[in-house]
Amino acid sequence: MDAREAFIERLHSLGRAYTILTEQEWQGAPLRQILEAETSAFADRVSLDGIDVMVRQKAAQSFALLLHELTTNAVKYGALSIPAGRVNVRWGVGADDRPGMFVLSWEETGGPTVIPPTRSGFGRKIIKDTMRRIGKYHIEYASTGLEFRMEAPIEKVGWVIENTHAPSETQYGPSCS
């Protein structure tokens, strides 16, 4: 993908976020809907598990870009680059005895052996800049698949709409630094 195509894809991602925000009368955007929009081409290989969270208007565009970059990297280099690969996305509030903290993890499995990047591209800069505004993050280039974890105070992210699932006791990966 050349720079022009990457730029256009990022614009499409922002457009999808705007559409979701418009549907919600600019009150915010359901996180699950943002995730589904960004990963729809791979719905059969992406697992989404979390409580219903409404992402604040200002954070929705950042989340859309962040998730777009994670998906793009998974398609180009990671689990979604081969048919057997999968992505598991989990999120919750108050997991790991951290009340009021929103935690999201992205774990790739079944893809090619992960090799840490030797240079930092524009997508990595977007992830870093986005997370600087929202919260902390940690990326691990595990040989079995990329693992991304972010955490932020729920007030910076948005609010819980309806607690349809109890926050998972499952570990979300190493804590963020």
Side-chain angles (χ1 to χ4, degrees):
M1 178 181 308
D2 68 9
R4 183 176 187 275
E5 290 172 338
F7 178 74
I8 290 170
E9 286 301 314
R10 289 180 180 114
L11 286 178
H12 286 184
S13 178
L14 287 173
R16 288 187 294 271
Y18 276 110
T19 298
I20 294 168
L21 285 166
T22 301
E23 291 170 353
Q24 299 295 322
E25 298 178 357
W26 292 91
Q27 298 299 310
L31 176 61
R32 183 177 298 276
Q33 196 172 348
I34 295 171
L35 278 158
E36 288 171 348
E38 293 304 324
T39 62
S40 63
F42 304 94
D44 60 329
R45 296 174 34 207
V46 176
S47 166
L48 305 176
D49 182 27
I51 62 175
D52 290 332
V53 172
M54 183 70 79
V55 178
R56 293 188 183 289
Q57 176 186 351
K58 290 181 180 181
Q61 296 147 356
S62 295
F63 264 92
L65 278 177
L66 169 73
L67 296 166
H68 173 76
E69 292 305 322
L70 289 169
T71 302
T72 299
N73 288 338
V75 169
K76 289 167 72 174
Y77 314 110
L80 299 178
S81 69
I82 63 172
R86 294 199 44 84
V87 174
N88 297 309
V89 185
R90 294 188 317 261
W91 65 94
V93 177
D96 302 331
D97 297 323
R98 303 209 37 165
M101 289 301 283
F102 171 82
V103 177
L104 179 137
S105 71
W106 172 285
E107 297 173 357
E108 298 180 26
T109 59
T113 300
V114 174
I115 300 169
T118 56
R119 64 175 188 81
S120 184
F122 190 68
R124 182 107 178 248
K125 182 180 178 353
I126 287 176
I127 291 171
K128 187 176 184 177
D129 289 348
T130 297
M131 290 310 305
R132 188 180 70 237
R133 289 188 295 276
I134 297 173
K136 297 189 257 182
Y137 76 102
H138 175 79
I139 296 177
E140 183 174 339
Y141 298 96
S143 61
T144 56
L146 180 116
E147 297 175 8
F148 171 88
R149 174 192 163 102
M150 66 152 293
E151 59 183 53
I154 186 64
E155 301 83 37
K156 285 187 94 172
V157 172
W159 61 94
V160 175
I161 303 170
E162 176 184 329
N163 197 351
T164 56
H165 301 91
S168 174
E169 296 299 319
T170 305
Q171 292 293 320
Y172 288 95
S175 63
C176 300
S177 49

